[in-house]
Amino acid sequence: MSKRIASIIVIMLSLAVFVLLLQGCDPDPVEGVRSIELEGGALKEVYRVDEEIDYDNAYLLVTYTGGRVSRVKLTPNMVSGFSTDVPVHSATLTINFAGYKLEWIYRVIGSSEAANSVRLKAEVSRERVLTISLSGTEDFPVLGVMFEVVMSGVAAEPDVDGGEIIKVREGVYYSVNHISDAAFRIVIWSKDGRTKFEAGELISFKLIKTGTENGVLTIQKAVVSDGEGDYTVPQSTLEIK
């Protein structure tokens, strides 16, 4: 056998061994998912009313058909059926990944302040117009709302005769009562006593900045009525820059 032929054979054998080594190291290019499970501590068994999932510390452990296990970050679009609007003894959320589903049972705890899904939210525009909106009315017939607005670092002069009030939703009566220089109570109710409130803006009025530090505005002692009973709503706080 000539030296040239022997050299060619050695090169071919070396290439064959190299290819086999590569095949042994690389994952199967067509491997699929075999199973999914939650990493320990990814989700909680007990949440409080209005608490969200901490996705920063939530991961899936994904096992592939080749035996490889990968740590995959859980994202909101993978999760369905999660809600902390109201206390519940047992609820189930579903996680979807690569065609696989995983269920997680949790419960929601809270006080009587979250006996329904209704929430009040405050937002401030660049022009310092404060707007208070209502949400969660789909399954609760709201016919009246009462709440207190407590301010620090900002002031407002809402007046029942108009004043700094900019907008109030149609079809309602309302009243504004000053509790102190930094707090007032607003009551809004349906004119005909039958038309329930839809989700959306309730009332808007102008704010005045009174200091150099950020202001704080709190909606507290909120109550909604369905015409038969009054139900408390969790308070909310807004920082005003």
Side-chain angles (χ1 to χ4, degrees):
M1 180 183 298
S2 68
K3 291 183 178 181
R4 183 178 180 182
I5 294 175
S7 299
I8 292 174
I9 292 174
V10 170
I11 292 172
M12 292 179 64
L13 288 174
S14 298
L15 287 173
V17 171
F18 181 69
V19 170
L20 288 174
L21 287 174
L22 286 177
Q23 290 177 342
C25 295
D26 287 347
D28 184 349
V30 293
E31 70 175 345
V33 174
R34 186 170 67 192
S35 65
I36 62 172
E37 62 179 305
L38 281 167
E39 185 179 67
L43 296 178
K44 297 168 62 173
E45 294 184 358
V46 180
Y47 289 88
R48 291 192 174 276
V49 167
D50 289 339
E51 184 178 0
E52 300 292 337
I53 293 174
D54 181 6
Y55 286 98
D56 289 339
N57 298 303
Y59 288 86
L60 287 176
L61 295 179
V62 180
T63 301
Y64 294 88
T65 53
R68 182 171 63 95
V69 178
S70 177
R71 190 169 179 255
V72 177
K73 191 173 182 63
L74 190 67
T75 58
N77 64 309
M78 298 180 188
V79 178
S80 60
F82 178 76
S83 174
T84 55
D85 285 347
V86 297
V88 61
H89 181 70
S90 180
T92 302
L93 63 80
T94 302
I95 297 169
N96 292 274
F97 179 79
Y100 282 76
K101 290 186 178 182
L102 178 67
E103 293 186 339
W104 179 261
I105 298 174
Y106 65 99
R107 66 189 180 100
V108 181
I109 61 174
S111 67
S112 60
E113 290 187 349
N116 57 72
S117 60
V118 177
R119 298 289 184 272
L120 288 170
K121 180 180 180 181
E123 295 179 299
V124 175
S125 70
R126 292 183 178 179
E127 294 75 26
R128 300 203 188 286
V129 174
L130 172 70
T131 298
I132 299 175
S133 301
L134 191 67
S135 66
T137 60
E138 295 81 8
D139 301 315
F140 189 88
V142 177
L143 297 178
V145 183
M146 180 176 69
F147 54 91
E148 292 181 4
V149 178
V150 180
M151 300 168 292
S152 173
V154 290
E157 292 296 333
D159 181 24
V160 69
D161 296 322
E164 292 298 322
I165 291 179
I166 296 173
K167 181 181 179 182
V168 180
R169 72 165 51 192
E170 295 181 359
V172 302
Y173 293 114
Y174 72 96
S175 67
V176 180
N177 300 299
H178 286 266
I179 301 173
S180 68
D181 291 340
F184 52 89
R185 181 183 296 110
I186 297 178
V187 183
I188 305 173
W189 65 99
S190 173
K191 283 184 177 180
D192 61 13
R194 298 186 304 274
T195 303
K196 71 174 186 177
F197 290 11
E198 299 293 336
E201 297 180 0
L202 283 175
I203 191 168
S204 299
F205 50 87
K206 187 78 172 180
L207 289 177
I208 304 169
K209 197 80 161 57
T210 60
T212 57
E213 301 295 327
N214 290 347
V216 177
L217 186 146
T218 301
I219 299 177
Q220 64 180 30
K221 298 182 180 179
V223 177
V224 293
S225 174
D226 63 358
E228 297 182 0
D230 296 332
Y231 307 86
T232 53
V233 175
Q235 75 173 33
S236 61
T237 300
L238 175 68
E239 183 178 28
I240 301 172
K241 298 181 179 181

